[in-house]
Amino acid sequence: MHTPGAAPADTASSDAVTATHCPYCALQCGMNLRAEPGGAGVAVEERTGFPVNRGALCGKGRSAPAVLSSRVRLTEPLVRTREGRLEPATWEEALDAVTEGLARTRRTHGADAVGVFGGGGLTNEKAYALGKFARVALGTSQIDYNGRFCMSSAAAAHQRAFGLDRGLPFPLEDIPRTGCVILVGSNPAETMPPALRFFRELRENGGTLIVVDPRRTRTAEQADLHLAPRPGTDLALALGLLHLVVAGGHTDEEFIAGRTSGWGEARAGAMAHWPELVERITGVPVPKLREAVAMFCGPAEAMVLTARGPEQQSKGTDTVGAWINLCLATGRAGRPLSGYGCLTGQGNGQGGREHGQKADQLPGYRKLTDPAARAHVAGVWGIDPDDLPGPGRSAYELLDALGGDVRALLLMGSNPVVSAPHAGHVEERIRSLDFLAVADVVLSETAALADVVLPVAQWAEETGTTTSLEGRVLLRRRALTPPPGVRTDLEVLHGLAARLGLPKAFPTDPEEVFDELRRASAGGPADYSGISYARIEAEQGVFWPCPSPARPAAADPSPGEPAPAAPSSGEPGHGAGSPGEPHPGTPRLFLDRFATDDGRARFVPVVHRDAAEVPDAEYPLLLTTGRVVAQYQSGAQTRRVDELNEAAPGPFVELHPRLAARIGVVDGAPLAVTSRRGRAVAPARITGTIRADTVFMPFHWPGEGRANTLTNPALDPVSRMPEFKVCAVRVEPA
């Protein structure tokens, strides 16, 4: 398999093959990179032995080397001149300018006037170093990352119910072996195509698939049952299903009594959502609700998997909590081949939030407010715990504060001008900054607004670890040398820290950084201390928690921290190991106990409430957003690949034929979509696969067709997740 557009490369051998992983989604599919003869570039080849994708790749993975080309990427630092132009500069000039911009803001306005914004695509080493840089080198509390926009609601619900957040508490290979999967607000056929085989194999093995989505997506077409609720009503749907579970006598009373707490209040909340009420709220007919319950409760094992659909809502944490309650009430959690899981989106969305990029967390998924956690991490960093800042603002709140309380921003691996909700407002806030520095691979829409742009290495040009949606820690090995003029993010942070008086605190070698991360995470909920680069390579990844042999797996947690999850996997020979032997890692969580103080899962009582915006006479329709298979996130990289642009050249507005006829628009004609925050224009795509009261836009493009111009920044009160998935709009021919 040869990849067109492969980049020039400086490699040691023309026949060198590097086993690595795709730079895009959280599947982190295995691939091999083969150096082309004469240093002509690298080509992607199948890596059939990696269990997640068995060699299969989507178009993004196959074409990933195209972005390595100097034709599309940054190859030298840029500094904005007094005349307002970005002009090439030396690295010394660029790093001096960044240091001065950040230091000047600190002197004038205080440490918290400097913000740091990271990304869910950064490796664990870079995420860890960035969090440390913010808190130690800059002394600011104002750090968060775009993973807050990914699965923070699921993470919060995980913590509330189970005491620990790992996207999937079991490996993907368990999906084909269960009896039924309810897939809520996820379209893996478009977002992570190699994962679709797990659901196909589920059905081939006699299991059933239920898909919950307001659109009849390519994934929904594979399902045994498709439920199409009105956007923003997933919470009512889950409560209605739980009502029918109780009414039909399908609860697992032994499991509820022995392994959970709080069932009484959660049960009362569900019983207030009788089927006919839920049909009125969601638009899903009562017979389909009953059919879903029968399919879910019939087999001995079942799972619920959610994604951005129910999570990117102003009540996303409660919505996910309702689906977790459904699993707990039926005994479908903490048992083999059963449970609740979340399909993480970004490439390192899991690891990125575990090691210090989030406003309220320290490495190892420790709480920033916990004195014992602060003392442990401060000891690794060689500072006084009292010098660690407290929690800062969440992602949207940080972006909203730019130009006000936060006057300068260092941004790595994110493009909020396209990806943030209420993006027009966010762009205005970014433009109002006193100083903006961006480290990125390409000149993204956000980087184009910066005072200094730092060109950094890509996935194939640097070594580092990521953590997949399974909680499997993986290793990407460097396959080629970055072009002259390009540095790694670790080298950038080292250069800035040296100028700020910390020349030794920020190593540039990723394995050295990972070893420090291991020490910082030791004893925390996300314990990586028993994981090494050598083990990852030998075992094709290691599932966390994986404590060091020097620390017993069942060690008491620090005060205020949840107990570490039980290490057993549910299969013979996968326990904690004998004393002194390497811990085997934890593919399957919660089989012996949950990670709460008493080992019981917690039901959380929830009730349905409306989205932050509901349709009215002025804005009578609902907008929901999502992805297409050939583009990724804000499109900053994929929009530079010819093959992907041919498949998905631009934005569109999906609408039902009845709606199209009512407003007088034909397929392909420009359609204006207007919300209370702005207006976007894109070609109409008329299809019977969407609800007549709903329109859909993909969010990968900037400019006139920018979907996030329209979206609502209303925040979930627990996770601080914005409500990307539902807002009120009107549509009309443009």
Side-chain angles (χ1 to χ4, degrees), residues 180-184 203 207-213 215-217 219-229 237 241 284-296:
C180 178
V181 172
I182 302 180
L183 188 60
V184 188
R203 299 184 69 212
T208 55
L209 175 63
I210 302 169
V211 170
V212 179
D213 199 302
R215 305 163 62 222
R216 187 166 181 80
T217 63
T219 304
E221 290 173 355
Q222 308 278 325
D224 298 281
L225 178 64
H226 174 215
L227 307 180
L237 178 65
L241 295 180
V284 177
V286 171
K288 284 200 169 188
L289 298 176
R290 297 187 185 280
E291 185 180 359
V293 169
M295 291 171 64
F296 184 69

Side-chain angles (χ1 to χ4, degrees), residues 123-142:
T123 63
N124 289 318
E125 292 80 359
K126 294 191 288 189
Y128 170 84
L130 187 63
K132 178 182 176 183
F133 181 82
R135 296 180 173 105
V136 175
L138 298 176
T140 182
S141 67
Q142 300 302 302

Side-chain angles (χ1 to χ4, degrees), residues 587-607:
R588 296 168 182 86
L589 296 168
F590 311 139
L591 298 186
D592 301 321
R593 68 189 306 275
F594 295 95
T596 56
D597 292 338
D598 60 5
R600 291 172 173 262
R602 305 184 190 99
F603 282 97
V604 177
V606 293
V607 295

Side-chain angles (χ1 to χ4, degrees), residues 33-55:
L33 293 181
R34 179 178 291 277
E36 298 278 38
V42 290
V44 171
E45 296 183 340
E46 291 183 354
R47 183 179 166 191
T48 56
F50 188 66
V52 170
N53 61 309
R54 302 178 195 166

Side-chain angles (χ1 to χ4, degrees), residues 79 82 89 97-98 121 160 166 181-182 196 201 214 246 260 276 329 371 381 401 414 447 477 497 572 602 629 699 711:
V79 174
R82 292 181 179 178
V98 175
R160 292 201 307 191
R166 196 179 86 186
V181 172
I182 302 180
L196 200 61
E201 290 172 6
V246 175
T260 73
E276 292 75 17
W381 289 351
S414 187
R477 284 287 190 190
R602 305 184 190 99
V629 67
F699 56 75
T711 49

